[in-house]
Amino acid sequence: MQIQQNMEGALTARDRVGIQDFVLLDETTEEAFMNNLQKRFSNDLIYTYIGTLLVSLNPYKELDIYNQKQMDIYMGVNFFELPPHIYALADNAYHTMLTEYNNHFILISGESGAGKTEASKKILQYYAVSCPSTTLLNTVRDKMLMSNPVLEAFGNAKTLKNDNSSRFGKYMDIQFDSQGDAVGGHILNYLLEKSRVVHQNHGERNFHIFYQLVEGAGDDLLQRLGLERDCQLYKYLTQGECAIVPSINDRNDWKTVKNALQVININESDNNDLFSIVASVLHLGNLKFSPDGKGLATLSSSSEELRWVSNLLGVEAQKLHEGFTFRKIEAKNDQILSPFTIDHAIYARDALAKAIYGQTFTWLVNRINESMENTDPSRKTVIGLLDIYGFEVFYVNSFEQFCINYCNEKLQQLFIQLTLKAEQEEYEAEGIEWEPVQFFNNKIICDLVEEKHRGIIAILDEECLRPGEATDLTFLERLEDKMANHPHFVTHKLADKMTRKTLERGDFRLLHYAGEVTYCVVGFLDKNNDLLYRNIKDLMCQSKNAIIQECFLTSDSENRKRPETVATQFKSSLLKLTEILMAKEAWYIRCLKSNESKEKGSFFSYSHNNVHVQKIKLHTIIFTGQFDEALIRHQVKYLGLMEHLRVRRAGFAYRRRYDVFLQRYKPLCPATWPHWRGDPAEGVEVLVQHLGYLPNEYKMGRNKIFIRHPRTLYATEDAFEKCKHELATRLQAKYRGYRAKGEFKKQKEAATKIETCWRGVQARKERQKRAWAVKVIKQFIKGYMTRGQAKSTDNSEYLAFVRQHFLSRLKENLPKTVLDKTSWYSPPPVCSETSEILRKLHYRILVRKYVRGITPQRKAQLQLKLVASTLFKGKKESYPQSVAQPFVDTRLNEQDINPRVIQMIRNEHIKYSVPVIKYDRNGFKPRPRQMILTQTAAYLVEEAKIKQRVLYTSLKGISVSSLTDGIVAFHITCEDPKQKGDLVMQCDYLFEFLTKLSIIANKHNAIKVVQGSIKTEVQAGKEGGVDFSIGQEPMVYKGKNGHLMVVTTRTRTR
Ligand SMILES: Nc1ncnc2c1ncn2[C@@H]1O[C@H](COP(=O)(O)OP(=O)(O)O)[C@@H](O)[C@H]1O
Ligand SMILES: [Mg+2]
């Protein structure tokens, strides 16, 4: 930033020399103008403004004002804030294009050598650096930049005026997208000076490319093309006698061109074809003809050159030869070959050379256009750059100069139209107070050249087309007839005495806006016709060279219609150009030559024998070569710069229709923002009042506002820029809100949609499920109804279901214990068999589990209980209640038994003992006793006394009742009367006691359960008994029949 300020400071200090804008001069005299120009020029300040027009004075030396730093300084800065520069103009055009979104063009004018081409290159370079860039755009940019060296090589040449003079007109559109990126380009080319290919004036050269090829190409290429590295060997290169000039480095330029060709997508094969053509032209130039006996042309040089031409152009040598020496005349159905004179042969040769070179040039331009073409169809704005050949005057001026100078007349006309005439007319139309500025309108000269039927071009065409012997001189005569009194036209015949001295008989002179030019009519007709003999044209159509093939289309050749003449084509192309330019906003660069010698400092000297130059020389002897005042003054005059200045000074820098102005700047005033409902003019008035415009700074016209100084507008524009950002933020916020709302709505809609879809999906699923369920239920019912039948498709599923259902229910309801024999889940009929198998299985498993789970003690217990059950189950009423009572090993412990008794039966192992009540045999008196079972006998013990010993062997039966009492009778064998009889006892642990006894004594079969009564033997032979009955209360007593009466209740007593 600091650096930039310093630089700007430095620039400004230097720039205090003179005045930056002629509009600010104190007086608008030519003297003051020239003074200012010179002052600035002597300080290397070559640029000065007239308003927004840039005057550029060619310094003929490299100035350090085109570097990156300078570009940076000028980027995006308002026009008048910095010293005048071509970058300022370029930048301003660019930014106006972006803000106003319209098309522009920069008209660069000035005479040959004034610096137009350099200016256009500087502008292109500036855009290449200053515009935003991307890789893609860079390639477009490279192509735009690189198109220059290629076109210059093929279309520029050294002339007396300029070592790099453009010999074609060029209008280039640079296309920008809305971001300001350069996205494409297009070139229109205008009339190439083809005659230069075959002829150059003294001190001039052919097109650069020829010298570049010969000097720069590698040996192998030269060899392939049949060329040698020596320009002097080629006729077409040496007529000007200056093939090699120190200011031009052909060898380096060759490298640049080769590289540039690559950038613009010219591939290897195109390259070959291209240079084959260039080389063929050189060979053509060396074809020499000599007269045969009858003066007719024969090819005199060895046929070597011809072979090279035929080789390089890919055509038959024989036919080519024929083309140069014979003309094909078609008479009805016949073709007659008419031999050529030498002049004709040379004409045919040169015509071919010019034609192929000219067509190749057009081909190149087309290829460049293809490579720069913008493929994005969105709307583009363009900046057009017009760099066309400048006004030029030579010692001998021919058809080419006529065209070039006519072109410059047209551009001058356009300039006058847009800046002087239209501007002043506008002030009048708008009712702005205005003092008209007089200016020379060159329309009269344009008309002289181009008017229909009456203009020079029309007469030239007439002469070209009319039957009979038309020559350049008859053309001149026709001109003299028609233009006799025209103030801008003079010939030897028409001139007064004085003037006549300066004119040859074959000349005509035009008083151009930029000065008089004498044209020599020789060659006008031929050049205007630009005819190529038919047979040669046909031959070119058969060429094997791809470029020639593309350029010479058979269809064109067969078209018998006479093509438009060169001048007419040129005229219409200029007309089209004018239309193109008129549709755009104009920016002007007026280039001035500072001297004629292309010199920087030395004294003016000139060596060429040139009328114009001689005239100037008279003035310039006085001045140094650097600032040739007369020359410059002359240019200032004819370019109309003074008039432009006057109009600018009195006029207004800027004007806009009220509605447009209001539309753009209305945000700057609360009264006009966002809408001004009333008359736009009033709105603008309110707006500028609000902005504080002073009365002398603007004028209100009928439809437009006129602003005098650019600075006023720039201030407004700056304010607008600032305001725009604020507005943008506001708009952005609004827009974001709007977007968010939209987004929300969209999302909501989407959600509803998804919901609906999802519901649909669910509903369809549900329906399917129901349909399925109905089917299943139907199947189920059918299955149920046919469940009893044999398995069929109807019931198989149902049965499977029943089976499965049963099994899973069964699984949950299996009996948990072995004892549970009732809760087995009852099976459906189909599963009854399975159920039974499973039930058994399950019990076995439960049993096994149970068995594995019990202790040995419990096992013994159960074994005892089993025995008890076999003995009493279902026989004795009190049995069921006893089952749950566990058996014990003994009811009496050893301590309970008298030791004496134990002593007595010591030898027998006591197995079991239990307290009993023994009933006497006769009285049935109950007596408590102990019953002790040993291995061999049962002992009835009273205290220490063994009352009775019953050997098991003598125990023949044991009886109990079927009721609930605890009475037991031992039936004892009684052969011995001394022995006591049967034993009747009552035992509370009857089942335990008897079970033990049956096991110990092995008396299973001896135990009987009897109904009603037990018979006993009281003594041997004496019977007794026990009678059992059921009563209210349990009782035991002696009955009347002498039996023991035992009464039990249904409930068990113990
Ligand atoms: N801005 C410049 N700075 C330095 N030299 C310049 C400048 N403009 C032109 N020249 C010199 O003048 C010569 C002719 O310029 P050119 O642009 O080819 O002229 P024109 O196209 O108008 O015939 C260039 O070769 C160059 O030497
Ligand atoms: Mg030029």
Side-chain angles (χ1 to χ4, degrees), residues 116-118 156 162 164-166 387-390:
K116 298 180 297 297
T117 305
E118 291 298 319
N156 287 22
N162 180 355
N164 182 33
S165 178
S166 319
D387 167 30
I388 216 153
Y389 15 48

Side-chain angles (χ1 to χ4, degrees), residues 779-788 795-810 825-832 834:
Q779 185 77 13
F780 192 84
I781 293 169
K782 213 166 183 187
Y784 174 74
M785 285 176 356
T786 56
R787 71 191 181 282
N795 63 9
S796 68
E797 239 176 277
Y798 174 80
L799 293 181
F801 166 75
V802 166
R803 258 182 237 121
Q804 192 196 358
H805 180 75
F806 163 70
L807 288 175
S808 53
R809 290 297 286 275
L810 180 63
Y825 189 71
S826 62
V830 275
C831 299
S832 52
T834 318

Side-chain angles (χ1 to χ4, degrees), residues 46-47 56-63 65-66 86 108-122 152 156 159 161-167 387-390 392 591 593 598:
I46 61 164
Y47 295 121
S56 157
L57 195 47
N58 190 346
Y60 288 118
K61 66 174 177 187
E62 296 295 324
L63 298 179
I65 55 169
Y66 303 108
I86 193 163
I108 309 168
S109 49
E111 61 187 68
S112 182
K116 298 180 297 297
T117 305
E118 291 298 319
S120 83
K121 284 193 269 190
K122 302 275 183 302
E152 285 192 9
N156 287 22
T159 67
K161 306 277 168 192
N162 180 355
D163 289 349
N164 182 33
S165 178
S166 319
R167 308 317 293 167
D387 167 30
I388 216 153
Y389 15 48
E392 65 188 11
C591 296
K593 288 182 82 158
K598 302 174 255 179

Side-chain angles (χ1 to χ4, degrees), residues 97-98 101-103 174-177 379-383:
M97 173 196 74
L98 282 184
Y101 208 52
N102 52 3
N103 298 321
I174 310 165
Q175 297 157 0
F176 296 91
D177 67 8
R379 214 191 123 187
K380 300 286 168 312
T381 49
V382 307
I383 293 180

Side-chain angles (χ1 to χ4, degrees), residues 439-469:
F439 61 92
F440 169 66
N441 191 341
N442 71 334
K443 185 169 183 299
I444 184 167
I445 311 173
C446 292
D447 288 347
L448 171 67
V449 176
E450 68 180 7
E451 220 179 350
K452 268 190 187 158
H453 309 302
R454 292 161 50 186
I456 298 175
I457 291 175
I459 293 164
L460 179 60
D461 280 0
E462 243 176 69
E463 279 302 289
C464 284
L465 303 178
R466 84 176 163 85
E469 267 308 293

Side-chain angles (χ1 to χ4, degrees), residues 836-1037:
E836 196 46 36
I837 295 168
L838 285 175
R839 196 174 66 79
K840 282 185 183 149
L841 252 168
H842 184 65
Y843 275 109
R844 274 171 64 181
I845 290 165
L846 283 180
V847 166
R848 174 129 42 113
K849 229 200 230 160
Y850 181 77
V851 168
R852 294 219 172 127
I854 56 176
T855 55
Q857 289 83 356
R858 176 120 178 97
K859 187 178 173 189
Q861 173 86 226
L862 286 177
Q863 276 167 344
L864 287 180
K865 284 278 179 183
L866 182 67
V867 173
S869 115
T870 53
L871 291 176
F872 302 107
K873 190 177 167 197
K875 294 176 187 164
K876 186 162 174 67
E877 218 167 278
S878 55
Y879 173 74
Q881 280 84 1
S882 82
V883 174
Q885 304 296 319
F887 291 168
V888 297
D889 286 345
T890 182
R891 293 286 166 185
L892 296 171
N893 294 328
E894 286 233 326
Q895 306 89 284
D896 299 332
I897 303 168
N898 194 295
R900 282 188 54 198
V901 174
I902 293 173
Q903 183 64 35
M904 271 186 285
I905 55 173
R906 188 178 61 231
N907 297 333
E908 292 168 46
H909 193 63
I910 297 174
K911 293 278 186 185
Y912 178 74
S913 53
V914 62
V916 294
I917 303 225
K918 179 229 149 187
Y919 294 97
D920 283 349
R921 287 179 182 83
N922 292 315
F924 298 119
K925 201 165 174 265
R927 311 230 185 241
R929 295 286 187 265
Q930 293 176 326
M931 174 58 88
I932 296 169
L933 299 182
T934 70
Q935 264 163 302
T936 49
Y939 294 90
L940 192 66
V941 177
E942 186 201 359
E943 297 292 324
K945 257 195 269 168
I946 293 174
K947 284 294 222 182
Q948 193 170 351
R949 179 173 185 251
V950 183
L951 273 171
Y952 298 144
T953 45
S954 62
L955 184 64
K956 73 174 187 250
I958 300 158
S959 299
V960 291
S961 84
S962 61
L963 299 177
T964 57
D965 57 281
I967 302 295
V968 60
F970 277 21
H971 304 289
I972 300 159
T973 1
C974 203
E975 280 110 43
D976 182 1
K978 275 201 258 159
Q979 274 286 328
K980 291 175 182 168
D982 291 353
L983 205 53
V984 175
M985 295 168 288
Q986 190 268 331
C987 180
D988 284 347
Y989 308 101
L990 185 73
F991 296 106
E992 181 183 283
F993 166 49
L994 290 183
T995 304
K996 297 257 181 185
L997 178 64
S998 81
I999 290 166
I1000 293 165
N1002 194 18
K1003 288 291 177 199
H1004 296 286
N1005 302 324
I1007 296 171
K1008 297 253 163 13
V1009 181
V1010 294
Q1011 308 277 336
S1013 58
I1014 302 169
K1015 276 191 184 154
T1016 54
E1017 248 179 295
V1018 181
Q1019 260 166 358
K1022 186 183 171 198
E1023 289 217 342
V1026 188
D1027 290 347
F1028 298 96
S1029 62
I1030 291 166
Q1032 290 298 318
E1033 257 180 281
M1035 282 186 289
V1036 178
Y1037 62 93

